[in-house]
Amino acid sequence: KNTVMTQCGTDLSGIAKAQGGDKIRLPHVGVPTVKAVTQNAEVLEVDVSGSDTGVDTELVIDQHYAAPLWLPDAVKAQASYDMFSLYSGQLGYAIAKAVDNHLMYTVVAQLTTVLGSGDGVNANATMNVEVGEALTPAHTATLMGIIAGETGNTDGWKIVLSPKAYGSLANTSNFGNSWTQGTGGLASSFGGTGIVGSLLGMPVIASNSAFMDVGSVAASSGAGIPTAWDGFDTGASTDDDYLRGFAIHDSALYWAIQDQNVKSSYQHTYMQDLISTDALYGAVCRTADSAGNRRVISLTDSKT
């Protein structure tokens, strides 16, 4: 519960639980070409040169995290409320944040690969929309232009924004009426989903992820971040661009939670109850910087 990134992408948990194993293969093709139809001539001749026909993307379920807690007898006996419910909820929240961090890292790592690291993400303007300290209608128009060129409409797209980007979006003095044409404000489901409204037909999700509005993120096993992220610019210069958010299509991110459990047992040698929750999960993200294959559009801003 209380995850943000599970609102994005495609959930393959059902397949992961049903088929077992640690991998799900996702065969895919690139952008199909159209062919002129000539009467009495072969139409279905296929030229796969230069495409990614037959390429597989593998979703590997390789993340296994657990959150344990000891509950002493004395504390349990003296409590005036259901401590099992209280702490199992807190453990569930900890695991949810670990899942959320992994999904966000998966997207950010893919963007880092696609955008390059020569001199910040500005080097590839086709995937970059500068948002500065304020998100304005001009940025939205640029973003819409890219999305329309990729899939033709906004179906299947979501916008994930950092606190700064969402703050500027919600500031009507910056954005005028474009924001209020959506649902605007905080939706009733915000507490569990992060969804704060819609913009031009796309759900808008506010995220306080550790990867937003920063130049790098340290590894933290306790937070479910096993690998550090060094920012978009790993070259000699120091102009790391901050991630202010991104637009993401459902076909870009695939994730699965294969198993999740809450367990409790009494350990009489310690006179305590052991409560734990764990989850086994994985994710994969794919996109490209070539027209027609871009499925994650970054919103970035130079820290300078």
Side-chain angles (χ1 to χ4, degrees):
K1 64 180 181 179
N2 298 318
T3 55
V4 171
M5 289 301 294
T6 52
Q7 311 304 314
C8 302
T10 301
D11 181 7
L12 299 180
S13 298
I15 295 176
K17 293 175 182 178
Q19 75 175 27
D22 63 343
K23 294 181 181 179
I24 299 176
R25 295 182 63 187
L26 302 167
H28 63 98
V29 298
V31 180
T33 58
V34 298
K35 294 183 177 292
V37 177
T38 302
Q39 191 171 2
N40 299 325
E42 183 179 9
V43 176
L44 299 180
E45 178 184 358
V46 178
D47 178 11
V48 298
S49 61
S51 74
D52 60 354
T53 300
V55 174
D56 284 341
T57 296
E58 286 189 339
L59 193 168
V60 181
I61 301 172
D62 58 355
Q63 303 294 307
H64 191 190
Y65 280 83
L69 177 72
W70 286 103
L71 185 59
D73 264 0
V75 174
K76 181 177 63 175
Q78 294 171 350
S80 58
Y81 48 87
D82 185 352
M83 297 198 70
F84 284 97
S85 296
L86 172 67
Y87 286 113
S88 62
Q90 291 297 312
L91 295 176
Y93 176 74
I95 288 292
K97 291 299 293 182
V99 173
D100 209 55
N101 284 334
H102 181 67
L103 296 186
M104 184 66 77
Y105 173 81
T106 301
V107 172
V108 171
Q110 176 67 10
L111 279 175
T112 305
T113 299
V114 171
L115 295 174
S117 58
D119 190 24
V121 298
N122 289 327
N124 190 338
T126 59
M127 288 288 293
N128 180 53
V129 180
E130 288 286 336
V131 302
E133 292 300 320
L135 193 64
T136 69
H139 300 122
T140 305
T142 303
L143 180 62
M144 281 298 300
I146 297 175
I147 289 175
E150 296 302 305
T151 60
N153 55 49
T154 59
D155 290 349
W157 288 87
K158 295 180 178 67
I159 299 177
V160 180
L161 297 179
S162 73
K164 280 195 174 183
Y166 170 64
S168 66
L169 179 64
N171 186 341
T172 55
S173 64
N174 291 333
F175 214 74
N177 295 325
S178 296
W179 172 241
T180 56
Q181 289 172 2
T183 60
L186 297 181
S188 59
S189 58
F190 172 71
T193 65
I195 296 176
V196 294
S198 65
L199 181 64
L200 301 174
M202 295 176 283
V204 177
I205 299 170
S207 170
N208 62 350
S209 168
F211 294 91
M212 296 291 194
D213 296 329
V214 297
S216 62
V217 175
S220 173
S221 178
I225 306 175
T227 305
W229 175 61
D230 294 328
F232 288 119
D233 180 15
T234 58
S237 62
T238 58
D239 61 346
D240 280 350
D241 283 11
Y242 288 174
L243 181 65
R244 303 300 190 193
F246 49 85
I248 184 169
H249 192 266
D250 288 343
S251 63
L253 177 66
Y254 294 84
W255 57 273
I257 299 175
Q258 190 173 57
D259 192 28
Q260 52 187 336
N261 295 282
V262 178
K263 303 181 181 72
S264 66
S265 63
Y266 185 71
Q267 308 292 317
H268 74 274
T269 54
Y270 294 96
M271 305 296 286
Q272 297 182 98
D273 287 280
L274 174 62
I275 309 171
S276 67
T277 181
D278 72 317
L280 181 60
Y281 56 93
V284 64
C285 181
R286 63 190 188 197
T287 187
D289 60 359
S290 57
N293 279 310
R294 294 172 292 196
R295 294 297 181 268
V296 185
I297 314 299
S298 64
L299 303 169
T300 62
D301 178 47
S302 173
K303 68 180 181 181
T304 58

